[in-house]
Amino acid sequence: MKSEKRGKLRMEKWKLIEEFLIRFIKEEITKTGIKKGICGLSGGIDSAVVAVLAKKALGDNFKAFLLPSQFSSTSSIEDAKALCQKFDIDYEIISIAPLLESYKIDDKVRLGNFSARMRMAILYDKSAELGAIVIGTSNKSELMLGYGTLFGDLASALNPIGDLYKTEIFEFAKFLGVNDSIINKPPSADLWEGQSDEKELGYSYAEIDPVLEDFVDNRATKEELLKKYDKALVEFVLKKVYQNQFKRKLPIIAKIKPRTIGHDFLYERDIRL
């Protein structure tokens, strides 16, 4: 009985979050005077969740873009297409392979960052063409760890899942009915063949997320964290959080005038004249 009650409470929780995020997407886009939204759909779980929410919020005013390179796995494209078919999402496929071929990079990390930025450049160009807002797909774990590319996958006008940890995204995806083939695959940005998020990080999200949640949401000190978690894991997480703070902020502007953007010019984005 207890397990049934917990299951019911989880369902109610995700239903409330779904309703809130659908309203968030719709309101944040329409208040700008724009009606349309777009996002990149990689075949991974984060963009799948965002695409499903955006479709529910915007209907036919939402479009997904599949932006594979010559290094993308075939399964990623097929999974993304299957999701679009299941949820009746309009999509377009644009290969970034010619862009990567024209600018040769031998280093895998640089290649991954360049790929992410080329994808976002295309998304912002499409947003101008369609009169649409770019919707972000980075989860809270990635944002706190800085596990993303500045002006690449971290760029967006609004982000509906940025306050949900990666482990929560898996549960939310199941609730939303995201395809099992997407939910069951290992997390990967698919930036090069065989790339794995958790192998790159050195820890699984199941290990990282409890530390992040305690540190960020519960405001635990380092000393408190060390009593609960492995020392190497705690030091890894805290180093990443502090080291990558610059990715979570606007460019720092030198303060010269009485009211400086980012310092004290802090009007809400929906201010009315």
Side-chain angles (χ1 to χ4, degrees):
M1 289 297 290
K2 288 184 179 180
S3 61
E4 286 182 17
K5 187 176 181 180
R6 283 196 297 267
K8 186 178 180 181
L9 287 173
R10 283 199 299 270
M11 291 286 283
E12 290 175 356
K13 164 191 168 182
W14 291 122
K15 182 61 178 173
L16 287 171
I17 290 174
E18 177 193 22
E19 291 172 355
F20 169 73
L21 293 179
I22 289 171
R23 187 169 66 251
F24 167 83
I25 293 169
K26 188 172 184 178
E27 289 180 356
E28 290 298 324
I29 287 180
T30 56
K31 72 172 56 169
T32 66
I34 296 174
K35 295 181 179 179
K36 298 179 180 180
I38 61 173
C39 82
L41 186 60
S42 66
I45 196 167
D46 299 312
S47 61
V49 165
V50 170
V52 172
L53 293 170
K55 173 65 180 182
K56 291 185 177 187
L58 304 172
D60 293 338
N61 283 324
F62 171 69
K63 184 172 183 177
F65 286 88
L66 284 59
L67 304 166
S69 74
Q70 59 270 53
F71 307 107
S72 299
S73 63
T74 305
S75 64
S76 293
I77 301 300
E78 294 306 314
D79 287 341
K81 288 164 64 176
L83 182 87
C84 290
Q85 290 164 4
K86 180 175 181 178
F87 290 93
D88 192 27
I89 296 171
D90 184 25
Y91 70 92
E92 182 178 344
I93 302 176
I94 302 173
S95 174
I96 66 166
L99 299 174
L100 302 187
E101 289 169 357
S102 67
Y103 189 70
K104 301 292 185 183
I105 300 176
D106 294 327
D107 182 87
K108 285 198 303 185
V109 175
R110 287 177 53 215
L111 177 65
N113 286 333
F114 185 72
S115 300
R117 291 184 177 119
M118 289 303 96
R119 289 186 172 105
M120 194 52 68
I122 290 171
L123 282 178
Y124 269 93
D125 179 64
K126 285 297 179 180
S127 77
E129 177 189 344
L130 300 173
I133 293 287
V134 176
I135 305 173
T137 61
S138 294
N139 61 67
K140 192 169 186 175
S141 304
E142 293 170 339
L143 293 173
M144 291 311 305
L145 295 174
Y147 191 65
T149 302
L150 199 59
F151 308 117
D153 52 306
L154 295 181
S156 66
L158 62 98
N159 181 345
I161 65 166
D163 211 17
L164 291 172
Y165 292 105
K166 184 74 173 190
T167 46
E168 294 178 305
I169 294 291
F170 281 100
E171 191 173 346
F172 193 24
K174 291 178 183 177
F175 171 82
L176 292 173
V178 169
N179 307 38
D180 288 340
S181 59
I182 292 175
I183 293 173
N184 295 332
K185 71 169 66 172
S188 172
D190 206 26
L191 295 173
W192 56 79
E193 187 175 352
Q195 189 261 338
S196 164
D197 292 358
E198 294 179 327
K199 283 183 181 178
E200 268 196 285
L201 291 168
Y203 294 97
S204 70
Y205 284 111
E207 294 171 303
I208 291 170
D209 283 356
V211 182
L212 276 175
E213 186 169 10
D214 269 348
F215 181 62
V216 177
D217 297 300
N218 301 332
R219 297 176 178 265
T221 64
K222 182 177 180 180
E223 290 70 27
E224 290 170 332
L225 293 173
L226 289 171
K227 292 177 182 178
K228 292 179 65 176
Y229 306 104
D230 175 71
K231 181 181 178 182
L233 172 60
V234 170
E235 291 182 344
F236 165 80
V237 170
L238 297 192
K239 181 180 178 181
K240 285 291 185 182
V241 169
Y242 285 114
Q243 191 178 54
N244 291 294
Q245 170 66 359
F246 73 97
K247 292 187 179 183
R248 296 186 292 271
K249 297 178 66 176
L250 287 170
I252 300 171
I253 296 174
K255 184 169 177 59
I256 297 173
K257 303 291 178 64
R259 301 197 70 204
T260 307
I261 296 168
H263 291 272
D264 33 33
F265 191 80
L266 299 171
Y267 288 129
E268 294 183 18
R269 59 177 286 161
D270 57 337
I271 188 170
R272 298 290 188 268
L273 294 177

